[in-house]
Amino acid sequence: MPMPQFIALPAFQDNYIWLLLDETTLQVAAVDPGDAQPVITWLSRHPEYQLSTILLTHHHQDHTGGVLTLKGATGCKVWGPANDNIKGIDRRLEDGFRVCLFEQEIEVLTVPGHTLDHIAYFCNHLQDPWLLSGDTLFAGGCGRLFEGTAEQMHASLQRLANLPDNTTIYCTHEYTQANLRFARAVEPNNPDIKVRLEVVEDLRRDGRITLPTTLALEKRTNPFLRCEDQHVRAAAAAHSGAMPTTGVQTFSAIRSWKDTF
């Protein structure tokens, strides 16, 4: 089956609501619609499309705030984590579930850390695999630890890092520039970070989106996926005052550093 078309709708200050368009059925899936208005506006401008599904990654209001309005307006079905506090979910998803969206199989991955209920959606689509990573893996960074532990988040990121390198990653915030400025502080001599930051700063100067990204690019430039690298370990030691002996310790040190960067 052909890949769905991905469209990013800006919301709030720096959120993106991703729309997945099936050109065969003219159905649309919306990912983490924290605000209903951008989706309603898009649908009104494209009346040939019908919102059929909402995919949620976690319970934060900036990802779920528009769900009930959109469900009431369109009759769409809502998929999301097995969290009873999220209103409107029709299908509660758990780790390892395989669901069909637009005739494509999507695997549900539990990735706790940012929140305890966080899930991601992975489609191993032939030559073009893709991932909806929510607030777990960002371009150049990762989510804050609001509920989970460093051990949980590190394990979640390692799980995502084991996906195919050509996986295209659709995350939900425009944090890339700030993340890469931190990555440059961690690895000032990493040429991939230097070049990527220059490209991203040009994009943001023009008000353009920096997403999606790819797993291969993240492995070269995202310090939170590079916790075994000697340069990242050395930077963590210099900041924390103690040489980490495990990837989790490195992650914990640089995540704490990023929180105050």
Side-chain angles (χ1 to χ4, degrees):
M1 295 296 297
M3 278 269 292
Q5 181 182 353
F6 288 79
I7 294 177
L9 303 182
F12 307 120
Q13 182 176 351
D14 51 35
N15 285 65
Y16 290 122
I17 301 168
W18 288 100
L19 299 185
L20 282 65
L21 278 56
D22 180 24
E23 301 292 355
T24 301
T25 64
L26 300 182
Q27 291 185 337
V28 179
V31 182
D32 287 349
D35 184 2
Q37 192 58 54
V39 181
I40 290 172
T41 299
W42 189 93
L43 290 170
S44 70
R45 293 172 178 170
H46 302 83
E48 68 274 22
Y49 286 95
Q50 174 66 36
L51 181 67
S52 64
T53 313
I54 289 175
L55 306 177
L56 301 177
T57 62
H58 63 292
H59 68 269
H60 282 166
Q61 184 70 11
D62 66 321
H63 293 251
T64 62
V67 168
L68 295 181
T69 298
L70 289 171
K71 187 175 182 179
T74 67
C76 66
K77 298 300 183 182
V78 181
W79 302 353
N83 183 340
D84 292 337
N85 292 322
I86 305 176
K87 305 303 181 185
I89 292 184
D90 299 291
R91 188 170 186 181
R92 300 188 183 279
L93 304 175
E94 297 181 5
D95 189 52
F97 277 25
R98 295 180 182 272
V99 296
C100 186
L101 179 71
F102 308 149
E103 298 190 25
Q104 298 189 52
E105 184 179 79
I106 298 174
E107 182 180 0
V108 178
L109 308 174
T110 55
V111 284
H114 179 66
T115 64
L116 294 178
D117 65 345
H118 206 301
I119 61 176
Y121 299 86
F122 173 64
C123 180
N124 196 6
H125 182 278
L126 301 176
Q127 290 82 26
D128 299 301
W130 50 266
L131 174 74
L132 304 174
S133 63
D135 283 3
T136 296
L137 177 61
F138 291 131
C142 73
R144 286 178 179 263
L145 304 181
F146 285 117
E147 297 175 5
T149 65
E151 289 80 6
Q152 287 175 315
M153 182 62 110
H154 181 257
S156 294
L157 292 173
Q158 289 300 111
R159 185 177 195 186
L160 298 183
N162 287 328
L163 298 176
D165 277 356
N166 64 330
T167 299
T168 302
I169 300 167
Y170 299 89
C171 58
T172 49
H173 286 277
E174 184 56 75
Y175 290 163
T176 315
Q177 186 175 44
N179 286 340
L180 290 176
R181 286 174 176 172
F182 174 71
R184 180 179 59 186
V186 176
E187 291 190 86
N189 297 317
N190 182 324
D192 292 320
I193 292 173
K194 179 179 181 296
V195 171
R196 186 182 184 190
L197 179 56
E198 290 172 353
V199 171
V200 164
E201 288 184 332
D202 283 344
L203 290 172
R204 295 309 296 156
R205 193 175 296 115
D206 295 336
R208 288 186 286 168
I209 187 173
T210 63
L211 303 173
T213 181
T214 67
L215 187 56
L217 181 58
E218 295 309 308
K219 286 182 175 181
R220 298 198 306 271
T221 59
N222 188 328
F224 298 102
L225 295 186
R226 297 173 55 77
C227 292
E228 303 298 335
D229 182 271
Q230 61 176 340
H231 300 100
V232 177
R233 291 180 67 238
H239 182 74
S240 67
M243 177 61 74
T245 60
T246 66
V248 172
Q249 290 178 357
T250 302
F251 172 83
S252 181
I254 62 173
R255 183 61 260 184
S256 296
W257 182 5
K258 177 64 166 64
D259 289 343
T260 59
F261 183 75

